[in-house]
Amino acid sequence: MAHVTETCDDDTVNIITDVTTTPATLYDIRALPDIHNRLAQRDLLPDEHLVDGGYTSIVQQDQSAREHGITLVGPVRKKRTRQSRQGNVFDRDAFTIDWERQQVVCPQGKPSREWSTPLSIAPYTRVRFAKEDCGQCPVRSSCTRGDRRQLNFLPKQLYERQAAARAAQQTTPWKANYAMRAGIESTVNEFVNGHGMRQTRYRSQTKTHVQHVLTAIAVNIERVNAELTTPAAERRPRTPTALQNFLDWQRIPRPTSWRTAGKS
């Protein structure tokens, strides 16, 4: 799989700045740190990086900001729990988190009994409520189907970043800004249909990466050449040759192109 990064500034040529080649089975988000490191080595890091949802996570947004000063812009995944899908149950937002005391209070005012961060779900924090509290709760059916309620949530800094990101991506300015990312789809199409990127010519990932890089160079040359080519109306005519001057002196019409002239 080839991960392509290009510039998208207004009124400039979109230049491909990086191509990272990974196994097709690797998740997109796993490739992003390597992409940023490669851009940093060449002093090509962007201030803002528009990425597909497959490259987006709150943890990655925080890491990109801390390590490279990059604002990672991409859709943050919505809640997918049973409580978030049904309107008659209590989702995570219905609970009050006390970060200082490491305790969560449920909608009925009962505090949680356990607060831990298991390695299996890090960096998420897990809290559990007491069985006796949930067992006697009058709204238990609207909260959990088990014997007690359990919640998983990110640390405070990431939790607040997640909430802000989800709210921001619902606004018109965010959507207008993120719409520029759609341009990379035409670049991928250019790679695939114009240069056969999905048909590797070599064996091994290393050699395939060389193919991807050479393809990116070819695309960049095409784009720069198209931008620098002067329109025909602004081109200066070439200096006539001696033969052309002789034909003009003899008032002999000369064809526009000698290649299209008739032969006998």
Side-chain angles (χ1 to χ4, degrees), residues 20-76:
T20 297
T21 306
T22 65
T25 56
L26 187 72
Y27 290 117
D28 291 345
I29 198 169
R30 297 286 183 86
L32 194 60
D34 186 42
I35 293 173
H36 286 165
N37 291 334
R38 291 162 60 90
L39 291 173
Q41 292 173 2
R42 299 195 298 272
D43 196 23
L44 292 174
L45 282 173
D47 294 330
E48 190 175 62
H49 197 173
L50 309 179
V51 296
D52 182 70
Y55 299 89
T56 310
S57 75
I58 293 299
V59 175
Q60 189 59 59
Q61 284 187 350
D62 182 70
Q63 180 179 345
S64 300
R66 287 187 292 101
E67 296 182 359
H68 301 291
I70 298 175
T71 301
L72 194 65
V73 180
V76 177

Side-chain angles (χ1 to χ4, degrees), residues 154-167:
L154 290 165
K156 182 178 180 180
Q157 179 182 353
L158 298 181
Y159 183 86
E160 294 175 347
R161 178 186 285 271
Q162 182 184 60
R166 285 175 173 168

Side-chain angles (χ1 to χ4, degrees), residues 238 241 243-244 247 253-263:
R238 293 186 300 177
T241 63
L243 178 58
Q244 290 172 339
L247 294 177
R254 50 184 168 120
T256 304
S257 174
W258 292 98
R259 294 181 180 179
T260 60
K263 294 182 180 180

Side-chain angles (χ1 to χ4, degrees), residues 144-199:
T144 182
R145 289 180 292 188
D147 55 0
R148 59 176 174 173
R149 183 62 187 269
Q150 174 180 295
L151 291 175
N152 296 332
F153 50 87
L154 290 165
K156 182 178 180 180
Q157 179 182 353
L158 298 181
Y159 183 86
E160 294 175 347
R161 178 186 285 271
Q162 182 184 60
R166 285 175 173 168
Q169 66 190 31
Q170 302 301 321
T171 63
T172 300
W174 188 96
K175 294 178 180 179
N177 181 45
Y178 185 68
M180 291 191 295
R181 197 216 66 86
I184 196 66
E185 301 298 342
S186 62
T187 298
V188 173
N189 181 72
E190 183 179 5
F191 266 73
V192 173
N193 297 320
H195 302 277
M197 182 179 66
R198 287 183 179 155
Q199 184 64 44

Side-chain angles (χ1 to χ4, degrees), residues 10-11 16 51 84 89 94 103 107 120 139 156 169 172 175 183 193 198 223 226-227 236 239 248 251 262:
D10 295 333
D11 302 325
I16 298 171
V51 296
S84 64
V89 295
Q103 196 172 65
S120 59
V139 293
K156 182 178 180 180
Q169 66 190 31
T172 300
K175 294 178 180 179
N193 297 320
R198 287 183 179 155
R223 293 179 177 183
E227 180 70 17
R236 296 179 58 184
T239 304
D248 293 341
R251 298 185 179 179

Side-chain angles (χ1 to χ4, degrees), residues 85-105:
R85 294 192 300 267
Q86 301 178 4
N88 60 338
V89 295
F90 298 115
D91 65 3
R92 187 174 54 196
D93 293 340
F95 293 75
T96 303
I97 303 176
D98 189 335
W99 302 99
E100 299 298 330
R101 300 177 59 185
Q102 294 189 345
Q103 196 172 65
V104 177
V105 179

